[in-house]
Amino acid sequence: MAASARRRRVAAAGALTGALWLATMCLLPLCGFPLLSHPAFRSLTIPSRVVLSGAAGAVLLSAAMTGSVLLDLHWNESLVAGAAVLLACGLRLLLGKERAQPPSAEPADRLTVAAHALSAAAVAIAYLGARSGSATSPDLVFFWGAKAQQFAAARTIDVTFLENAFHRYMHLYYPPFVTNVYAFATMAAGRFPWTAAVLTFPLLLAALAIGLPGLLPRRAAAAWSALAVAAIAYAGIAADVAGNGEMPLLLLETLAVALLVSPDASRASTQLLAGILLAGAVTAKVEGLPFALAACAVFLVRARRPRAPAAARLLLPLVVCLGAWFFFGATRRLFYGYAGEGRMLDLYPARLATVLRLVGAALASTGYALPWLVPLAVLPFAGRPRGAAWIPLGTAAALTGFFVFTYLHRAEDPTLWITWSAPRIFMSVAMLLVIAAASNASGPSTPTRSRAAPSPR
Amino acid sequence: MPLRQSVRLAAPLFGAAVLVAFAAASLPWKSGVFARPRTPFDRSAASSVAPGFALLRAAADVIPAGAVVVARTEPRDPVHETYLHRFALALLPGREVLPAAYYGQATPPEVWGRAEYVVVVGARPADPPGTLLKETGEGSVWRRRPGGDESQRQAP
């Protein structure tokens, strides 16, 4: 009897800690609010601005935490959150007097209502998958959560912990966004809640479902958003991504590329915001870097001259955030870049057919490859690729090439490696196909060339 | 609305409906999707690690902060013990966790010989490593007796 009462008390305390941890995540929009409340973002819907505030706020919070580490300052929840707010205020100043018109209110038609219902169903399914222990990623325990928990206890990025020879499997060079944000929530909640951490998958998917429709070109935006959310939900459950770095990466990548194909893509404010989100993607996972570089490159090729201001807005946040991480690694003699599979051009090209077959098999075993096949099948309905659709399409092609290039590097049999990783890392490609179709379906506009870009102060 | 335009607008919705239906069908309805799982891995592809997760979480109640711990399996399995070490590091924060195996290779007893506590996933060891502190369906937690035990023999 006493043991059962004690178990109930422990479970209640655990649930409270989990709720606090997730509530801390839900408060991140406060960090990004000073930036997203600028009149330049008035053209976005309120739900999109709230979600973008959260995503940008999380990136600024992580940057503030990495900055604190570089300054040898121990983390304090209030101070790092305050520093993130100050960063947002500073970035707001860069936007000057840029203004935008509020979006016109459009009555929701049956198509939109059905699309929102499907998005809600996809999020509910992701929640059930995560909560029932069907979608948990072992990587949550292996390194994402383990590092975040340790860093929260040490109130810094714990160099001694990373240096331990028996902790090398934790990939000490992995960038800090996910562990920083998880550590922040852990400091606020008091301890790392393993069960609640799994729920970041449906939580961030819900954020995407709420924020994405307002960013996509108006025509059938909700329907295309529902398709992206459903593809990520199904692939995420089938590939066991709950709790790992995949969903934070996908949220940042999707929001960033949606901004780059939006009718406001030529605005300085939109480019700066996309740059901040891409900086988050780059510091979330290693594969965020090729994604960001490819997306920026295709965008800049299409952008009107002069391209330097747009390039600065897109790339400077990324350079600062990733530079700070590599500076941390170099000054602590931990790492000097990303560890690859051998040297850059030491390839095994004879393995190309095998690698392609293994990637195909890995995707086929993840929901029968439907999260990729359905967006591919729907793409032709949006018409021939044109305009901004080339940004996600070009990024998808570059990313696919990069993944295959990486898989050709390992001397040993890559079967296990590809089986484990391909379904997760190719989720970005599924999302990009949907954004390309959404952008294409909106009509023959060429947003990045159509408006003059006001220069930031 | 022209038919072609209707098809164009309905295509993403139809695609989303297909994916939502397949995603729903992929959930483990028969094993009680609404029931609270014992661990976050109970129904995942990595369900083989669930017993280790449950035991290590229970072990946290009886292993004090600052203690030196090793987690191993019975019978010895270096691959499983590699994962167990990683789980122990995550689930026993504040303790020093030593590996019984690393990257699928058993570590020599010198690496983990100074462990004060042993978490054993699987059957109770034939030669008890010390004083039994806790026993669950997944395994047992021991306070090691000074001078080592049978388990200090290298795993095969």
Side-chain angles (χ1 to χ4, degrees):
Chain A
M1 198 71 132
S4 144
R6 187 177 168 276
R7 266 200 302 275
R8 274 201 300 272
R9 272 201 309 276
V10 170
L16 182 65
T17 306
L20 264 174
W21 194 86
L22 290 170
T24 306
M25 299 273 180
C26 294
L27 290 175
L28 290 176
L30 294 177
C31 293
F33 178 76
L35 178 62
L36 267 294
S37 60
H38 192 282
F41 296 110
R42 251 191 224 151
S43 60
L44 301 171
T45 61
I46 296 288
S48 293
R49 285 171 88 176
V50 171
V51 169
L52 286 166
S53 290
V59 177
L60 298 176
L61 178 80
S62 172
M65 292 174 83
T66 307
S68 297
V69 173
L70 289 176
L71 294 171
D72 279 331
L73 297 173
H74 279 82
W75 291 333
N76 169 291
E77 299 94 294
S78 308
L79 287 181
V80 290
V85 170
L86 282 178
L87 277 172
C89 292
L91 290 165
R92 181 189 172 98
L93 292 177
L94 289 177
L95 300 178
K97 290 182 179 168
E98 190 185 322
R99 286 185 172 274
Q101 292 299 314
S104 55
E106 289 170 19
D109 55 10
R110 278 184 300 178
L111 185 81
T112 307
V113 172
H116 287 316
L118 280 171
S119 285
V123 172
I125 289 164
Y127 171 76
L128 283 177
R131 191 187 171 279
S132 62
S134 326
T136 308
S137 167
D139 288 353
L140 167 67
V141 183
F142 285 173
F143 47 90
W144 296 114
K147 284 205 272 190
Q149 174 178 253
Q150 180 63 30
F151 297 169
R155 293 194 166 256
T156 188
I157 296 174
D158 191 340
V159 173
T160 311
F161 181 79
L162 291 175
E163 277 176 336
N164 187 316
F166 289 120
H167 300 172
R168 288 294 155 114
Y169 68 87
M170 291 194 187
H171 309 290
L172 47 86
Y173 60 87
Y174 268 21
F177 174 82
V178 178
T179 47
N180 279 354
V181 175
Y182 279 14
F184 177 77
T186 305
M187 290 190 296
R191 71 177 179 81
F192 190 88
W194 295 98
T195 308
V198 171
L199 298 181
T200 50
F201 170 43
L203 179 73
L204 299 182
L205 189 68
L208 190 63
I210 292 167
L212 188 58
L215 301 181
L216 294 176
R218 289 284 178 266
R219 205 157 165 201
W224 291 109
S225 171
L227 179 56
V229 170
I232 293 172
Y234 190 21
I237 292 170
D240 286 350
V241 303
N244 71 11
E246 235 62 52
M247 198 55 226
L249 175 74
L250 278 163
L251 177 68
L252 293 163
E253 287 178 343
T254 311
L255 295 176
V257 84
L259 284 171
L260 292 180
V261 301
S262 75
D264 290 329
S266 60
R267 289 176 172 274
S269 52
T270 305
Q271 291 167 4
L272 182 66
L273 184 56
I276 292 168
L277 299 176
L278 288 174
V282 162
T283 50
K285 287 197 78 191
V286 175
E287 54 267 35
L289 182 58
F291 179 98
L293 293 180
C296 290
V298 185
F299 178 85
L300 290 171
V301 164
R302 292 191 66 253
R304 59 188 296 161
R305 290 170 195 273
R307 293 182 180 125
R313 286 186 285 264
L314 286 172
L315 294 168
L316 266 182
L318 178 165
V319 169
V320 169
C321 289
L322 194 61
W325 179 240
F326 286 149
F327 184 72
F328 163 80
T331 50
R332 272 68 174 176
R333 296 170 194 274
L334 286 172
F335 53 87
Y336 299 91
Y338 286 147
E341 292 285 333
R343 281 190 299 188
M344 182 73 146
L345 294 175
D346 281 353
L347 293 170
Y348 297 86
R351 287 228 179 108
L352 181 62
T354 308
V355 164
L356 293 176
R357 183 179 52 77
L358 288 170
V359 168
L363 300 189
S365 68
T366 308
Y368 314 102
L370 287 176
W372 295 271
L373 292 178
V374 170
L376 261 179
V378 169
L379 194 56
F381 288 97
R384 280 182 60 190
R386 59 178 180 264
W390 286 111
I391 298 170
L393 284 178
T395 308
L399 212 52
T400 303
F402 173 80
F403 292 151
V404 172
F405 177 75
T406 305
Y407 283 143
L408 288 174
H409 274 79
R410 187 173 277 194
E412 306 93 57
D413 179 9
T415 305
L416 207 54
W417 181 29
I418 293 174
T419 306
W420 279 346
S421 62
R424 291 184 285 110
I425 63 176
F426 275 91
M427 283 171 73
S428 302
V429 174
M431 171 276 289
L432 286 165
L433 293 174
V434 179
I435 303 289
S439 163
N440 217 33
S442 68
S445 65
T446 50
T448 51
R449 290 179 195 272
S450 61
R451 296 186 196 182
S455 298
R457 197 185 289 169
Chain B
M1 192 185 292
L3 180 64
R4 193 171 166 181
Q5 197 181 345
S6 301
V7 170
R8 187 181 273 198
L9 291 175
L13 214 55
F14 179 73
V18 168
L19 289 172
V20 165
F22 272 87
S26 75
L27 292 178
W29 298 102
K30 283 181 185 163
S31 57
V33 75
F34 295 105
R36 192 186 180 85
R38 199 179 37 144
T39 81
F41 293 96
D42 282 9
R43 300 179 184 102
S44 76
S47 58
S48 62
V49 299
F53 188 100
L55 179 62
L56 286 163
R57 204 139 72 164
D61 293 341
V62 292
I63 300 177
V68 186
V69 191
V70 64
R72 66 176 185 84
T73 60
E74 186 65 37
R76 303 294 301 268
D77 174 356
V79 172
H80 197 162
E81 286 179 347
T82 298
Y83 295 126
L84 210 52
H85 167 240
R86 297 175 182 189
F87 270 58
L89 261 170
L91 298 170
L92 297 172
R95 289 82 165 179
E96 186 183 353
V97 180
L98 304 173
Y102 196 65
Y103 278 111
Q105 301 292 317
T107 55
E110 304 87 74
V111 169
W112 51 268
R114 62 189 177 86
E116 304 158 292
Y117 293 84
V118 192
V119 179
V120 181
V121 175
R124 192 192 277 215
D127 178 22
T131 310
L132 181 67
L133 298 178
K134 190 161 201 161
E135 189 161 29
T136 71
E138 291 84 21
S140 49
V141 186
W142 305 78
R143 181 170 181 118
R144 284 183 76 210
R145 58 171 169 259
D149 52 66
E150 182 74 11
S151 63
Q152 282 210 7
R153 278 196 242 131
Q154 189 109 8

